Amino acid sequence: MDIVKETENYVKLKLLGEGSGHDWWHVKRVYDNSLMLLKHDMNQNVNERVVKLGALLHDIADWKFNHGDEKAGPRAARKWLESQNVAQDDVNHVCQIIYDLSFKGGKSRSPMKTIEGEIVQDADRLDAIGAIGIARAFAYGGYKGQELYNPLILPKENQTVAEYKSQQTTTINHFFEKLLLLKDRMNTRPAKEIAMKRQRFMIDFLDAFLKENQAEDSWHAARLDRYKAMDR
Ligand code: ADP
Ligand code: NI
């Protein structure tokens, strides 16, 4: 069987039913997003197999669930790919993508080193915004036992890596700390275009959420107004 198909089966078996938003269906969406971005980048010399393997393996072992170990993902991917006799250059490339991929707070922009990495990064980021992004954020917040929203806790924007990993936050704050920033960090043109639409949807959602809350909270509303203004 072909290595992409083999890898799909391996990842599916490992992640099916995972409950924090890193389940197989997240991986499938990232894979499909990657194929869509690949189609738009046809004039570039892109290693499609590396993109596909990177997308399938990108969440195989997350540092958040491995005692903060950022090498757990690349290590697990390497073990799998080497067991399948994938060429060493491709193994190294895929593992580099997985390592560089995770966004770790506002100060760290996680630049990718290759176009293949940029495509997988965009594909993963697209799944963190819009309607799916909203659903995943609240799923993750529930999994962590975090508050939906607390008008007294303000987001920490521009966090260092250490702060991002350790901070208690609310799910609404996660939008201001990360999700609303992703639109301007897309690498490829088609991802930028999709992100603009999804940004609007998130802004509308946050607007309705804050209005329904009727809380004394000028901070979140004022910050959202800035995003609304940027969106016009
Ligand atoms: P990805 O799988 O896209 O690399 P992460 O592993 O950082 O992203 O997070 C998985 C999902 O959980 C994403 O949709 C992200 O927005 C969400 N998430 C991460 N941290 C938080 C948080 N503190 N509060 C709410 N949602 C979060
Ligand atoms: Ni992911």
Side-chain angles (χ1 to χ4, degrees):
M1 214 196 311
D2 147 66
I3 176 66
V4 173
K5 197 75 204 149
E6 291 275 12
T7 302
E8 183 181 322
N9 291 342
Y10 167 70
V11 175
K12 204 184 285 178
L13 213 67
K14 234 181 141 170
L15 297 186
L16 208 61
E18 205 274 346
S20 75
H22 284 103
D23 56 303
W24 160 249
W25 297 106
H26 162 62
V27 172
K28 169 87 167 78
R29 288 188 299 269
V30 173
Y31 182 76
D32 290 342
N33 286 342
S34 299
L35 295 188
M36 179 264 300
L37 295 174
L38 271 174
K39 254 197 264 165
H40 282 87
D41 258 311
M42 272 188 316
N43 49 357
Q44 296 230 29
N45 201 2
V46 180
N47 186 334
E48 289 195 17
R49 207 160 71 136
V50 165
V51 171
K52 290 175 182 172
L53 293 174
L56 288 171
L57 290 165
H58 85 278
D59 272 335
I60 196 71
D62 196 285
W63 56 262
K64 286 198 245 36
F65 310 107
N66 284 279
H67 315 285
D69 181 359
E70 285 157 13
K71 300 246 166 71
R75 210 185 307 119
R78 180 174 298 279
K79 202 168 153 202
W80 162 252
L81 293 171
E82 285 180 351
S83 79
Q84 299 299 304
N85 299 316
V86 173
Q88 205 51 238
D89 280 356
D90 285 354
V91 176
N92 291 340
H93 193 168
V94 171
C95 292
Q96 185 69 51
I97 290 174
I98 298 171
Y99 182 74
D100 290 339
L101 198 62
S102 41
F103 177 95
K104 304 177 197 75
K107 278 196 182 142
S108 158
R109 285 180 169 251
S110 322
M112 303 302 288
K113 296 182 178 65
T114 59
I115 175 71
E116 288 81 1
E118 289 182 342
I119 289 175
V120 180
Q121 184 177 51
D122 280 1
D124 193 30
R125 285 177 168 175
L126 283 175
D127 207 53
I129 60 176
I132 289 170
I134 294 170
R136 288 182 74 218
F138 287 100
Y140 183 93
Y143 178 82
K144 282 295 211 190
Q146 161 182 298
E147 284 177 309
L148 296 182
Y149 166 62
N150 180 336
L152 304 177
I153 301 179
L154 299 187
K156 300 214 169 39
E157 292 165 306
N158 288 313
Q159 305 170 94
T160 61
V161 172
E163 279 167 348
Y164 182 73
K165 280 189 174 182
S166 68
Q167 282 293 319
Q168 263 297 338
T169 185
T170 68
T171 298
I172 288 295
N173 281 355
H174 184 63
F175 287 84
F176 294 92
E177 287 165 352
K178 176 175 171 182
L179 303 181
L180 291 169
L181 309 177
L182 292 178
K183 172 180 79 78
D184 291 332
R185 296 186 181 177
M186 295 294 174
N187 306 297
T188 65
R189 190 187 44 77
K192 281 184 188 139
E193 279 168 20
I194 297 168
M196 268 162 54
K197 293 196 195 113
R198 297 192 182 183
Q199 182 86 349
R200 218 154 288 149
F201 191 81
M202 289 194 292
I203 290 173
D204 287 346
F205 166 77
L206 291 167
D207 201 30
F209 187 99
L210 293 174
K211 284 193 178 119
E212 286 175 20
N213 261 284
Q214 304 177 52
E216 273 310 315
D217 175 5
S218 52
W219 193 96
H220 286 89
R223 184 55 114 236
L224 189 63
D225 281 344
R226 276 184 32 190
Y227 282 104
K228 280 188 216 162
M230 281 190 261
D231 200 46
R232 268 185 217 114

